[in-house]
Amino acid sequence: MSSSTTPSFPPVPPLPPVSLTERRKAETRMEIARAAAGLFVRQGLKATRAEDIAQAAGIAPRTFYRYFAAKEEAVAPLYEAGARRWVEAVRAAPPGASVPQALEDAVRSTLRPGAGAPSDSWAGVCALIRLTHSTPTLRRVWAEVCQTSERALGEVLAARARTGTAIGTAIGTAIGTAIDNDAERIVRAARAAGMDGAGGVGSTGGADGVDSAVVDARLRFAAAVAVAAVRAAVEGWAAGDGTGEGLPGPAELAVANLATLRDFPWDALTEP
């Protein structure tokens, strides 16, 4: 594949510490993903076979199927890399930064062409996201990645909520103050979703379990809204082909969307 016809993509964010074997597997997955993305962008999904992707990646077809069950799934690592880059930027935000500020700063540092990645690499991102608009199978892969990033962001927000917060009853007191009238409704919703004291994420059982379920439900909601805000911005930017002077980029669109979370009662989750 010539460099003039193969789209480039931003660099992959570092992986957490893993074994050499796992790192090599991750590198192979990404090589396959880049080969698949290049073929999908140039000739379309239907005209591309798994065997074509394997040949472009320099591997045997049987090796391809060790990593991916179908050709559509082969671009998932590229989608995942972009989502992970943003979530990790939120995680790395200064402890004193408010959650809205952390979310918005992370967007500015990861979704602005030229910020940490060559500007021309965003053409590949734009083309790959645009493919999800017209290809249902790729749209499903993209949606699954976004759902996974919701869970990852929820964990990061939970960690920030715990920072500097007293354990146990202090959290319950803060949450109870913030959600006086709707606590019972939120707890019922949390229980319906399987997040109560019977083993849901963040639950501790008993009275503390109710408080934890409320915190968990609200953080899940906040993470879902934040991911939806960024997803809508990136998709809207890609739909407009990501070009044109004076047009807002993905970072600007995402920050505008994230403004909806500025009034979320973060203090109730982070202050004892």
Side-chain angles (χ1 to χ4, degrees):
M1 294 184 293
S2 67
S3 58
S4 62
T5 58
T6 301
S8 61
F9 298 90
V12 179
L15 291 171
V18 294
S19 68
L20 179 59
T21 299
E22 291 302 317
R23 183 171 296 279
R24 286 175 175 170
K25 287 181 179 179
E27 291 172 352
T28 300
R29 288 183 82 247
M30 188 56 67
E31 289 172 4
I32 296 172
R34 292 180 185 278
L39 290 171
F40 292 169
V41 169
R42 292 203 311 277
Q43 62 189 40
L45 178 68
K46 290 185 178 179
T48 302
R49 304 172 304 160
E51 290 77 8
D52 299 326
I53 299 172
Q55 182 178 16
I59 60 174
R62 65 178 180 276
T63 302
F64 174 89
Y65 285 111
R66 283 207 299 267
Y67 287 89
F68 303 102
K71 62 181 182 180
E72 295 86 352
E73 296 177 8
V75 293
L78 285 171
Y79 292 142
E80 292 165 357
R84 188 170 73 251
R85 189 180 295 109
W86 175 56
V87 172
E88 289 305 314
V90 176
R91 189 193 305 277
S98 67
V99 174
Q101 191 65 50
L103 291 170
E104 293 176 20
D105 287 350
V107 158
R108 293 187 183 96
S109 67
T110 60
L111 291 184
R112 181 170 291 159
S119 296
D120 59 0
S121 69
W122 284 84
V125 174
C126 183
L128 193 56
I129 297 297
R130 197 184 308 125
L131 281 175
T132 67
H133 299 165
S134 58
T135 313
T137 50
L138 287 181
R139 187 158 60 245
R140 185 161 53 248
V141 173
W142 168 237
E144 289 174 354
V145 168
C146 291
Q147 187 176 36
T148 299
S149 69
E150 282 183 22
R151 293 193 294 271
L153 181 61
E155 293 173 359
V156 170
L157 296 184
R160 293 189 70 86
R162 288 193 298 269
T163 301
T165 303
I167 298 174
T169 57
I171 296 178
T173 300
I175 297 300
T177 300
I179 57 173
D180 287 332
N181 297 324
D182 62 349
E184 185 177 349
R185 173 178 56 80
I186 294 175
V187 171
R188 285 200 302 268
R191 285 174 174 166
M195 297 185 294
D196 60 2
V201 175
S203 65
T204 58
D208 287 343
V210 173
D211 290 337
S212 297
V214 174
V215 174
D216 185 73
R218 292 177 73 80
L219 288 174
R220 283 175 183 263
F221 171 75
V225 172
V227 170
V230 174
R231 176 181 178 178
V234 172
E235 290 178 351
W237 165 74
D241 82 14
T243 63
E245 292 186 7
L247 295 178
E252 289 74 18
L253 293 171
V255 168
N257 289 350
L258 285 169
T260 59
L261 282 175
R262 290 176 185 168
D263 294 328
F264 189 82
W266 297 109
D267 288 349
L269 301 179
T270 58
E271 293 182 0

